[in-house]
Amino acid sequence: MEQLVRFDPGLIFWTWVTFFVVLAILARKAWGPMIDALEKREAGIKAALAAADRAKAQAQEATVQYEQQLQDGRREAQQLVADARTIAEQLRGDLEKDARRQAEELLASARAQIAADRDRALRDIQATVVDLSVEIAGKVVERNLSTADNRKLAEDTLSRIGKA
Amino acid sequence: MAVEEHSQDIGSIILHHVSNSDVLVQLPPLFGLDISITKHVLMLWLAGAVVTAGFLLGSRRYRTQENPVPSGFSNFLEFIVDFVHNQIVIPHIGPAHARSWSPLILTFFTLIVTANLLGLVPLFDLIPGGGTATANLNVTASLAAITFFAIIVAGSRVHGVFGHWRNMAPPGIAWPVLFILIPIELLSMFVRPFALTMRLAANMTAGHIAMLAILAPIFLMANAWIGLGSVALNVGISFLEIIVSLVQAYVFSLLSAVFIGAAINPQH
């Protein structure tokens, strides 16, 4: 049994040598770089996750804003269309009113013109008739001024013309 | 009569199997110490060589690439490093000091687990003597001594040399308690590495003794049929031994980390 618990300084020495040689080589060449890579990757993943969260929040915010803008736009467009319709109807009413007024004015001026023309024509006719009657009268007077029948004739003529 | 003779033989065979060999290569003494090569020295060197070569080969891309992506073997190595760093060192020593102590704990874990598993390979039994270096108390005591000094170094680096020793007694306790506390703390300082030493060596020895004892009846009874049962049982125990090899390496590394962490954060 004593061989199991035999003190062996050589083995102790070599255990330490082996241990520290392995530790010295691997700490510098393997474990340092591997732990660095692990920590870097972990930090990278954390940063990427945080960035993804931020991006998600931004996207959600952007969606809300976009929807808000869309609603605003839709409302504005509806408002615009409604305004345009109101304006158009107002314009149509105004135009109609104007057109009617103009037509009425035109009609009135035409009527006035016609009336004036007729009056002038009548006046011309009357003047012509008077001239003719004076001429006729002159001619009648020239022939027999004294004859009572002639005079009567002239008066009859005049009165006829006057009626006409 | 024959059975009794055999049983004594078997006993010595088993002891021989779990013990170190006699000197294989005689070396001149160093400072009066015999540093000749025995089988356990060879097995330890082999374990060290396997660990060093494996990690040097598997970590090449970590030394050359900016953002290495592991694959295959290096993935396996990264799993080990990640496990020790993130599951053992960071929780027990703390993230602030993890970077300084991870290499030590990683060396404990990889070297012990490799030596444990190499001890399970029957091929090395062709050399006389036992194959498991970590079953030798001298090896485990040397490793535990490293933990012992690492605890003192860790505590002194963070709290100063005096600060480390003062941390043995929590501040604000009544002075008579110190008469009990200080001897207990001093005792525990030595009990901890002693427990590490015994636990690893005993676990590594026990499995081999059990396996050999189970094989022994074949020769004691001189009956090959017993081999059916013995071999079947030993196959099962071999699987158990693989688990024990991993668990004991884990326990040694974990407790070393816990003790170092306790010296760094004494209030916990």
Side-chain angles (χ1 to χ4, degrees):
Chain A
M1 279 300 276
E2 72 279 357
Q3 52 191 330
L4 278 182
V5 289
R6 193 174 54 196
F7 177 63
D8 187 348
L11 187 52
I12 292 173
F13 169 77
W14 285 120
T15 304
W16 283 336
V17 169
T18 311
F19 184 89
F20 286 110
V21 166
V22 172
L23 175 61
I25 295 174
L26 291 187
R28 189 181 299 265
K29 293 284 180 192
W31 292 325
M34 287 177 89
I35 292 170
D36 284 346
L38 279 174
E39 285 180 344
K40 204 168 149 190
R41 197 182 306 151
E42 202 177 304
I45 290 170
K46 268 184 193 156
L49 282 177
D53 280 350
R54 271 202 306 276
K56 200 174 153 189
Q58 278 175 352
Q60 273 173 348
E61 204 176 315
T63 308
V64 169
Q65 272 182 358
Y66 169 74
E67 275 172 7
Q68 185 67 43
Q69 281 174 353
L70 206 66
Q71 270 180 359
D72 286 355
R74 199 170 288 149
R75 207 168 31 237
E76 230 167 273
Q78 279 170 352
Q79 188 62 47
L80 268 175
V81 169
D83 286 357
R85 194 169 288 152
T86 313
I87 291 169
E89 272 171 13
Q90 209 173 347
L91 209 64
R92 196 178 66 181
D94 287 355
L95 278 174
E96 239 173 46
K97 225 180 281 172
D98 274 5
R100 197 165 289 145
R101 191 170 44 77
Q102 276 181 357
E104 278 168 3
E105 275 175 12
L106 220 64
L107 208 63
S109 76
R111 278 203 190 110
Q113 188 71 43
I114 289 167
D117 284 355
R118 196 187 62 188
D119 287 355
R120 203 170 47 237
L122 274 176
R123 269 199 309 277
D124 283 358
I125 290 166
Q126 273 179 346
T128 310
V129 167
V130 169
D131 286 352
L132 277 174
S133 15
V134 167
E135 208 181 310
I136 293 165
K139 278 180 183 164
V140 171
V141 168
E142 212 176 292
R143 228 179 335 160
N144 50 21
L145 197 61
S146 57
T147 312
D149 290 339
N150 287 349
R151 184 169 178 80
K152 197 179 178 284
L153 178 74
E155 282 172 353
D156 287 349
T157 310
L158 260 177
S159 71
R160 263 203 312 275
I161 291 165
K163 279 174 192 166
Chain B
M1 207 48 195
V3 170
E4 262 177 38
E5 274 173 30
H6 268 298
S7 68
Q8 277 179 353
D9 286 354
I10 296 282
S12 62
I13 285 171
I14 291 176
L15 272 183
H16 177 74
H17 178 84
V18 293
S19 309
N20 201 353
S21 71
D22 294 329
V23 170
L24 298 177
V25 181
Q26 187 72 47
L27 290 180
L30 186 78
F31 304 118
L33 291 177
D34 181 12
I35 55 161
S36 298
I37 311 303
T38 56
K39 190 176 176 189
H40 284 173
V41 174
L42 270 186
M43 293 305 289
L44 208 59
W45 284 354
L46 187 63
V50 167
V51 169
T52 309
F55 271 91
L56 280 183
L57 286 176
S59 65
R60 210 166 19 194
R61 73 184 73 190
Y62 294 90
R63 291 190 294 274
T64 53
Q65 292 176 15
E66 183 66 20
N67 283 311
V69 178
S71 64
F73 183 56
S74 61
N75 215 341
F76 170 67
L77 296 186
E78 193 185 289
F79 162 73
I80 295 173
V81 173
D82 183 55
F83 172 73
V84 172
H85 184 65
N86 284 322
Q87 306 295 320
I88 297 179
V89 178
I90 287 181
H92 297 105
I93 297 184
H97 299 94
R99 195 67 181 70
S100 355
W101 292 102
S102 274
L104 184 87
I105 305 299
L106 272 163
T107 310
F108 274 137
F109 184 76
T110 52
L111 202 62
I112 292 172
V113 84
T114 311
N116 290 353
L117 291 173
L118 282 176
L120 287 178
V121 181
L123 189 70
F124 299 113
D125 288 343
L126 294 177
I127 310 170
T132 318
T134 39
N136 191 310
L137 284 169
N138 291 286
V139 174
T140 56
S142 310
L143 295 173
I146 294 170
T147 300
F148 176 83
F149 289 111
I151 293 167
I152 297 172
V153 169
S156 304
R157 261 174 58 175
V158 178
H159 304 289
V161 176
F162 290 107
H164 170 67
W165 296 104
R166 209 171 35 236
N167 282 336
M168 277 194 169
I173 60 162
W175 64 267
V177 182
L178 293 179
F179 286 107
I180 310 166
L181 200 64
I182 287 174
I184 290 176
E185 283 290 334
L186 282 173
L187 198 66
S188 88
M189 233 180 90
F190 292 98
V191 165
R192 286 166 170 182
F194 180 72
L196 286 178
T197 303
M198 297 309 286
R199 186 185 298 108
L200 181 55
N203 271 291
M204 286 304 111
T205 309
H208 287 254
I209 290 179
M211 284 167 86
L212 291 166
I214 287 167
L215 286 177
I218 306 172
F219 306 101
L220 281 175
M221 315 275 180
N223 186 344
W225 290 104
I226 295 174
L228 285 176
S230 292
V231 169
L233 202 55
N234 268 345
V235 169
I237 291 181
S238 293
F239 282 111
L240 200 66
E241 279 295 285
I242 294 173
I243 297 171
V244 170
S245 296
L246 296 170
V247 168
Q248 288 307 317
Y250 170 68
V251 166
F252 194 102
S253 315
L254 178 75
L255 288 179
S256 294
V258 168
F259 299 153
I260 291 169
I264 290 174
N265 314 299
Q267 66 276 16
H268 287 186

